[in-house]
Amino acid sequence: MSPTPSRQELPSAAELEAEAADLVLPRFGHDEAWRLGSLLVELARARRAPVAIDIHQGAQQLFHCALPGSSADNDGWIERKRRVVERYGAASLLVGARFRAKGQTFEESSRLDPARYAAHGGCVPLVVGNAGMVGTVTVSGLPQAEDHALVVEALRTLRDAL
């Protein structure tokens, strides 16, 4: 899978499952949230990406940044994507891919309010070793595959540095 798929390409559920297994962190806390958020800001600025970035550990927001070109709509998308990850325990893009693999749409088949839940790429669970999911990291502002790829790139960089 390329680091930034085109607008048309969406990875399969199998590809996203394999990717998720590779994104386990040895630890995650306030310092790692700052490092991850700062890395996402750096990557987004280098690409002139008009994104909003959000990192939560449980119910606590540890990092938020809205870069030029983003809007309050991006914050709404962040909340909707985050709710999907919190409910399903998997990346928002993966949840959507699982529905598509069954020939269904998330919006019609999940029975969840689409004003509150969005299975679009950009939110990834923060998983720590045997502790499991401890939070979420979300990007909104690009096409969904690019939002997802940006988060994955930053998570791999952080993981390799820890």
Side-chain angles (χ1 to χ4, degrees):
M1 183 165 61
S2 66
T4 52
S6 74
R7 290 175 188 232
Q8 305 297 0
E9 291 177 40
L10 289 178
S12 70
E15 290 171 318
L16 292 165
E17 297 269 3
E19 180 181 81
D22 185 48
L23 295 177
V24 177
L25 301 171
R27 65 181 180 277
F28 192 82
H30 291 76
D31 291 337
E32 290 78 20
W34 179 257
R35 288 174 69 179
L36 179 58
S38 298
L39 177 59
L40 280 163
V41 168
E42 180 182 317
L43 292 170
R45 283 190 187 278
R47 296 166 191 177
R48 297 176 194 215
V51 298
I53 301 160
D54 178 84
I55 300 173
H56 268 72
Q57 184 175 33
Q60 185 180 20
Q61 184 178 52
L62 300 182
F63 187 95
H64 184 84
C65 181
L67 294 177
S70 66
S71 72
D73 288 342
N74 297 116
D75 293 329
W77 276 98
I78 284 170
E79 288 300 312
R80 293 169 60 216
K81 294 177 194 183
R82 188 167 56 82
R83 284 187 189 106
V84 166
V85 174
E86 289 172 346
R87 184 175 186 104
Y88 289 88
S92 53
L93 189 61
L94 173 55
V95 172
R98 287 175 177 162
F99 278 88
R100 287 189 297 278
K102 296 178 198 172
Q104 302 171 341
T105 66
F106 175 82
E107 294 77 12
E108 291 177 7
S109 299
S110 70
R111 292 184 255 152
L112 296 171
D113 181 357
R116 294 185 42 83
Y117 294 87
H120 292 260
C123 188
V124 176
L126 293 165
V127 178
V128 174
N130 293 333
M133 185 174 130
V134 299
T136 59
V137 54
T138 313
V139 167
S140 175
L142 302 170
Q144 65 173 326
E146 293 176 35
D147 278 347
H148 178 84
L150 184 61
V151 171
V152 169
E153 180 182 350
L155 276 172
R156 284 187 173 139
T157 300
L158 177 66
R159 179 207 59 206
D160 293 348
L162 295 177

